[in-house]
Amino acid sequence: MQFPSCAVVPFTTPGGTGQALLTSAGVTVIESPPGTLTDFGVGDGSTVAQIESTYGNDHSTMTIQTESGESIFVTTGDPGQVGNGNLGGLIGFSTSQLPTASTSEGCGTITYPETGVVASIDNLQGGITCEVAMDTAERYLNDTSLSHAGNTWSAEFDGWLCNVLTATASELEGHSLACADRSRGISFQAVP
């Protein structure tokens, strides 16, 4: 298919069919067939821990909730920009079939100071407690000593990287805030 600024090119492999999105910058997206593994041997059937172990030393990983389910992204860019025009190489894995230690229990609510919008702390990963998630979110939103940057209001503190998604990304991803401590393998989100 040809569009004014890009083309979608289908391809066939021994494992099935996929497609590539080509723009003037080159190949920007490759959707591979089921069963595809990266050159490092992870893909369908790999656990989140295997993906993080494989890429975690020289890449950033972030698990987010997308419209089609939970996904883990591996990037050479800023993990806070996943879903917001990520800079750097990016690989996304759907985790809907991957085992992961998580809980969907709601922990409580936060209020965004600028808008008054209320969101629920949810989607805890890696054994994080509700108390830690709530305290971290409250500090991120209300501690005036923290330095925030960019249109995602990104802030790093105590090993955490937190950011809010733009309105469009929030609608697509199904959450409005994400915090992760990659060194401890823990994260949480605020929904919506």
Side-chain angles (χ1 to χ4, degrees):
M1 293 178 281
Q2 191 77 31
F3 300 97
S5 60
C6 63
V8 177
V9 178
F11 62 89
T12 303
T13 70
T17 59
Q19 58 185 11
L21 177 64
L22 284 74
T23 67
S24 59
V27 176
T28 57
V29 176
I30 298 174
E31 292 181 7
S32 60
T36 301
L37 300 177
T38 69
D39 55 341
F40 289 101
V42 295
D44 286 350
S46 299
T47 65
V48 170
Q50 288 169 325
I51 293 168
E52 288 177 339
S53 173
T54 300
Y55 288 102
N57 290 333
D58 55 358
H59 291 71
S60 296
T61 60
M62 181 175 224
T63 303
I64 63 172
Q65 187 66 35
T66 67
E67 194 172 75
S68 60
E70 189 174 79
S71 296
I72 184 169
F73 289 90
V74 176
T75 179
T76 56
D78 176 1
Q81 293 298 310
V82 169
N84 296 311
N86 185 297
L87 301 176
L90 178 69
I91 305 171
F93 300 91
S94 170
T95 61
S96 59
Q97 299 170 343
L98 303 181
T100 183
S102 70
T103 178
S104 293
E105 71 180 65
C107 289
T109 60
I110 56 167
T111 303
Y112 291 100
E114 293 288 317
T115 62
V117 170
V118 175
S120 298
I121 297 297
D122 209 338
N123 196 21
L124 281 62
Q125 302 282 325
I128 184 176
T129 65
C130 285
E131 181 180 7
V132 170
M134 291 296 296
D135 289 348
T136 303
E138 287 295 335
R139 180 164 181 218
Y140 166 71
L141 293 171
N142 299 306
D143 185 341
T144 57
S145 70
L146 293 181
S147 176
H148 294 83
N151 68 340
T152 62
W153 214 49
S154 179
E156 290 188 66
F157 57 97
D158 300 336
W160 288 99
L161 172 62
C162 295
N163 62 70
V164 293
L165 277 65
T166 63
T168 302
S170 178
E171 187 175 317
L172 290 171
E173 305 301 339
H175 67 277
S176 54
L177 175 145
C179 290
D181 183 331
R182 197 169 66 88
S183 67
R184 294 189 289 168
I186 55 177
S187 64
F188 65 91
Q189 298 171 341
V191 179

